[in-house]
């Protein structure tokens, strides 16, 4: 049989035992300053998450990520497949942002803003504490026989879990199809929206399964961000860390005894509150979501025995080893500046994106046409994509010294969120043409407002 070493806890994740069996975590309910702060953060998150799909701008949702129809709305602006480069750039900026943020600030996002942590720790676990009692009572309940009391508690808890999963599921779906479509599905006969209902039920079942059984395993084995921590964090990254210099050698506190040991009184409170089942005193571990529950638990114990708080705290590994207080290092400031620049670039690109996308092409297979009164004409096709929520009448103009635009048919009206096409001639005096191929600038106008300028090549007779 293999012997255990000091590091053997790293051979398997905290929720799996040596035999590969899942260890169910009965985490004690945290309480303390950080838990209260996380509760307020949760409130803000919930207001945003559940409220955002209802906010509209010009009749469309403020945010919609309709991957099914390829329609994306961000801050009320519609993005089309033609804006793919903006998304591509956005993704690159996002990945860079995540990498730099994590190198500097560790898993702060996991503990404070990740929807998985917020739903599991701040909503579902609270419902569980309310329905089944604290960690010890839950353990006893699960181990005990199926009495009427146990059936009642389990039924209440699971019904609420299912209801909350359903609410999360419909909100999640509303980010994809929009609230209006969701209301349509809910109010029209079931048979007209069988697919919509089946999707809702499947998504609800997935959320219910995650928060009832799978729980912290999402962070430990599924989440790609969690898996990246091993390569992103270094000894200067901020973590929830145990000050081993101050805490060791650990040992129980004894009344009226002059303490010669370290400050850790080995009360195990930090382990008991940990929702991923680890002992932070073993050092940085991939299971730690930086939820800060152990900081609160340890601070509570430190105050109780009259020792300074902060034995477990936000710190870097080097900070602990060098007994340094947490401060903004040059690296953090530099990364924050880079992050701010990246975000500014993306915001600038989004803000400067034009309302209309235009493509002008000379008619295929045609060179130029000799026209009356010594004029030369080139035929063009134009395609306009209106990315806004309003109809846009469009006129084409060019410098009258160079040539004249003759529309074939009426001026173009590009309907909201639509594509319009048209044909037009550019007519020039033959005498003014000095080159076989010239590049012309055509102005796209809506009323007096110039939307953009496009370039088109004009072919004339061979140069004289
Ligand atoms: S070690 Fe502490 S911060 Fe990390 S997951 Fe456990 S309780 Fe949360
Ligand atoms: S809560 Fe603090 S004092 Fe208690 S075991 Fe954990 S680190 Fe030691």
């Amino acid at each position: 049989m293999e012997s255990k070493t000091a590091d053997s806890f790293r051979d398997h994740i905290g929720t799996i035992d040596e035999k590969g069996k899942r260890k169910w975590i009965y985490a004690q309910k945290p309480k303390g300053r950080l838990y209260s702060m996380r509760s307020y953060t949760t409130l803000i998150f919930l207001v945003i998450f559940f409220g955002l799909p209802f906010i509209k701008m010009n009749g469309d949702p403020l945010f919609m990520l309709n991957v099914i129809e390829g329609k994306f709305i961000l801050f009320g602006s519609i993005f089309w497949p033609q804006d793919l480069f903006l998304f591509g750039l956005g993704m690159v900026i996002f990945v860079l942002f995540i990498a730099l943020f994590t190198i500097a600030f560790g898993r702060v996002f996991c503990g404070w803003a990740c929807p998985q942590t917020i739903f599991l720790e701040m909503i579902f676990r609270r419902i569980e504490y309310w329905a089944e009692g604290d960690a010890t009572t839950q353990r006893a309940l699960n181990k005990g026989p199926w009495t009427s009391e146990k059936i009642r508690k389990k039924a209440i808890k699971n019904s609420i879990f299912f209801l909350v999963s359903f609410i999360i599921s419909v909100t999640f779906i509303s980010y994809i199809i929009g609230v209006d479509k969701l209301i349509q599905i809910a109010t029209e006969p079931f048979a007209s929206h069988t697919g919509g209902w089946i999707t809702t039920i499947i998504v609800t079942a997935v959320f219910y399964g995650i928060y009832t059984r799978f729980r912290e395993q999402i962070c430990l084995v599924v989440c790609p961000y969690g898996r990246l921590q091993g390569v992103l964090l270094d000894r200067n990254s901020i973590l929830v860390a145990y000050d081993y210099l101050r805490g060791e050698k650990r040992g129980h506190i004894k009344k009226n005894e002059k303490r010669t040991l370290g400050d850790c009184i080995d009360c195990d409170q930090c382990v008991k509150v940990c929702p991923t089942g680890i002992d932070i005193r073993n050092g940085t571990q991939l299971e730690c979501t930086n939820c800060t529950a152990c900081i609160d638990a340890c601070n509570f114990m430190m105050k109780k025995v009259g020792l300074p708080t902060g034995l477990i705290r936000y710190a870097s590994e080097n900070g602990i080893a060098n007994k340094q207080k947490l401060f903004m290092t040059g690296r953090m400031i530099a990364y924050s500046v880079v992050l701010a620049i990246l975000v500014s670039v993306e915001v600038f690109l989004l803000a400067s994106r034009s309302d209309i996308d235009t493509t002008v092409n000379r008619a295929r297979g045609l060179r130029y046409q000799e026209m009356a009164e010594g004029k030369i004409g080139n035929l063009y096709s134009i395609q306009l994509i209106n990315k806004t929520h309003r109809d846009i009448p469009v006129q084409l103009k060019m410098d009258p010294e160079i040539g004249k635009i003759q529309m074939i048919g009426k001026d173009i009206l590009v309907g909201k969120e639509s594509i319009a096409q048209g044909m037009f001639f550019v007519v020039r005096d033959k005498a003014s043409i000095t080159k076989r191929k010239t590049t012309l600038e055509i102005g796209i106008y809506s009323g007096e407002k110039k939307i953009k300028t496009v370039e088109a090549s004009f072919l004339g007779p061979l140069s004289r």
Side-chain angles (χ1 to χ4, degrees):
M1 209 175 104
E2 266 181 57
S3 63
K4 277 198 170 192
T5 66
D7 257 3
S8 55
F9 66 90
R10 293 194 192 275
D11 295 344
H12 52 86
I13 56 174
T15 52
I16 306 288
D17 67 15
E18 289 86 347
K19 290 180 183 149
K21 247 180 99 189
R22 170 95 177 264
K23 275 199 277 178
W24 189 255
I25 304 294
Y26 294 97
Q28 255 177 25
K29 187 176 181 192
K31 58 173 189 266
R33 194 171 64 91
L34 289 168
Y35 189 66
S36 303
M37 284 167 68
R38 282 173 64 214
S39 302
Y40 292 124
T41 315
T42 299
L43 209 60
I44 296 167
F45 168 87
L46 294 181
V47 169
I48 295 172
F49 178 75
F50 290 112
L52 217 50
F54 290 94
I55 302 176
K56 289 191 172 182
M57 218 172 161
N58 302 317
D60 270 323
L62 195 64
F63 280 94
M64 193 166 91
L65 301 169
N66 193 338
V67 280
I68 306 159
E69 292 172 10
K71 184 177 176 184
F72 303 96
I73 304 176
L74 298 178
F75 298 105
S77 294
I78 302 173
F79 287 80
W80 292 67
Q82 284 78 4
D83 294 311
L84 206 64
F85 87 97
L86 275 181
F87 264 105
L89 195 67
M91 286 309 292
V92 172
I93 289 176
F94 179 70
V95 170
L96 268 174
F97 188 97
I98 294 276
L100 292 183
F101 185 88
T102 310
I103 291 167
F105 302 104
R107 296 182 78 167
V108 170
F109 169 81
C110 297
W112 291 80
C114 173
Q116 162 68 11
T117 309
I118 288 178
F119 286 136
L120 176 58
E121 302 305 331
M122 308 307 281
I123 297 184
F124 286 92
R125 234 186 261 277
R126 280 181 166 178
I127 296 168
E128 198 165 59
Y129 291 131
W130 172 81
E132 295 186 354
D134 64 15
T136 323
T137 322
Q138 285 175 27
R139 191 190 297 269
L141 190 74
N142 282 353
K143 288 207 169 133
W146 278 95
T147 59
S148 57
E149 178 68 358
K150 180 170 175 174
I151 293 170
R152 188 182 66 81
K153 284 184 172 177
K154 292 284 177 196
I156 291 173
K157 181 186 92 170
N158 284 287
S159 308
I160 302 174
F161 270 26
F162 193 82
L163 181 68
V164 178
S165 301
F166 178 75
I167 296 169
I168 294 172
S169 148
V170 290
T171 310
F172 177 72
I173 292 172
S174 71
Y175 277 94
I176 300 172
I177 60 171
V179 166
D180 293 343
K181 181 80 183 163
L182 204 68
I183 293 172
Q184 202 186 337
I185 294 175
T187 50
E188 289 181 2
F190 179 84
S192 327
H193 299 287
T194 325
W197 276 108
I198 290 174
T199 308
T200 310
I201 291 163
I202 291 173
V203 178
T204 303
V206 168
F207 279 123
Y208 176 76
I210 288 173
Y211 296 117
T212 312
R213 298 301 307 169
F214 205 55
R215 297 197 161 190
E216 72 288 335
Q217 299 302 310
I218 289 281
C219 308
L220 306 191
V221 295
V222 178
C223 175
Y225 182 58
R227 302 283 60 71
L228 272 175
Q229 302 304 313
V231 287
L232 291 178
L233 299 182
D234 64 20
R235 290 187 61 83
N236 291 313
S237 305
I238 295 183
L239 320 148
V240 171
Y242 165 69
D243 187 343
Y244 54 89
L245 291 180
R246 201 189 119 188
E248 300 298 314
K249 184 180 179 193
R250 68 188 77 157
H252 295 300
I253 201 157
K254 289 185 189 128
K255 219 175 174 185
N256 301 327
E257 183 201 52
K258 189 170 169 359
R259 190 158 176 89
T260 51
L261 298 170
D263 280 357
C264 174
I265 58 169
D266 212 8
C267 62
D268 269 356
Q269 286 307 308
C270 50
V271 182
K272 286 179 183 156
V273 291
C274 180
T276 60
I278 58 169
D279 184 343
I280 193 66
R281 294 172 297 172
N282 287 332
T284 310
Q285 291 151 78
L286 71 86
E287 295 96 322
C288 177
T289 57
N290 278 220
C291 75
T292 71
C294 55
I295 299 183
D296 275 335
C298 188
N299 282 346
F300 176 80
M301 293 312 295
M302 290 292 103
K303 280 182 200 156
K304 211 167 165 191
V305 296
L307 289 168
T309 57
L311 181 56
I312 301 175
R313 61 179 184 271
Y314 276 123
S316 69
E317 287 189 358
N318 277 342
I320 297 268
N322 302 325
K323 297 188 176 178
Q324 281 172 337
K325 283 207 159 157
L326 192 60
F327 65 98
M328 277 294 268
T329 59
R331 188 178 78 147
M332 281 183 211
I333 295 168
Y335 283 177
S336 302
V337 170
V338 177
L339 292 176
I341 293 171
L342 288 175
V343 173
S344 310
V345 169
E346 184 68 3
V347 169
F348 172 76
L349 288 172
L350 291 178
S352 57
R353 165 183 163 275
S354 78
D355 287 348
I356 283 205
D357 257 3
T358 317
T359 318
V360 171
N361 288 313
R362 223 163 29 77
R364 271 204 208 152
L366 288 179
R367 289 167 61 220
Y368 59 88
Q369 282 174 267
E370 300 268 3
M371 302 175 105
E373 297 170 8
K375 310 268 186 193
I376 294 288
N378 275 201
L379 181 64
Y380 298 88
S381 65
I382 182 167
Q383 178 179 280
L384 299 134
I385 300 170
N386 182 352
K387 301 174 189 170
T388 70
H389 310 278
R390 62 183 195 285
D391 298 343
I392 302 182
V394 165
Q395 299 88 38
L396 309 186
K397 294 179 189 173
M398 65 185 297
D399 183 351
E401 298 280 309
I402 296 174
K404 219 177 130 202
I405 303 254
Q406 280 178 9
M407 293 302 299
I408 298 177
K410 291 183 288 180
D411 274 348
I412 302 168
L413 176 74
V414 202
K416 59 176 184 177
E417 303 166 35
S418 309
I419 299 175
Q421 287 172 338
M423 302 288 286
F424 66 94
F425 273 108
V426 170
V427 181
R428 302 179 69 195
D429 281 330
K430 195 172 180 178
S432 71
I433 302 168
T434 53
K435 281 196 283 182
R436 186 171 177 275
K437 189 173 181 181
T438 331
T439 302
L440 304 176
E441 285 193 343
I442 298 170
I444 313 290
Y445 285 77
S446 183
E448 287 309 306
K449 190 185 164 208
K450 190 178 199 177
I451 302 170
K452 67 194 305 186
T453 303
V454 288
E455 289 192 342
S457 64
F458 184 91
L459 284 189
L462 288 173
S463 45
R464 289 168 287 143

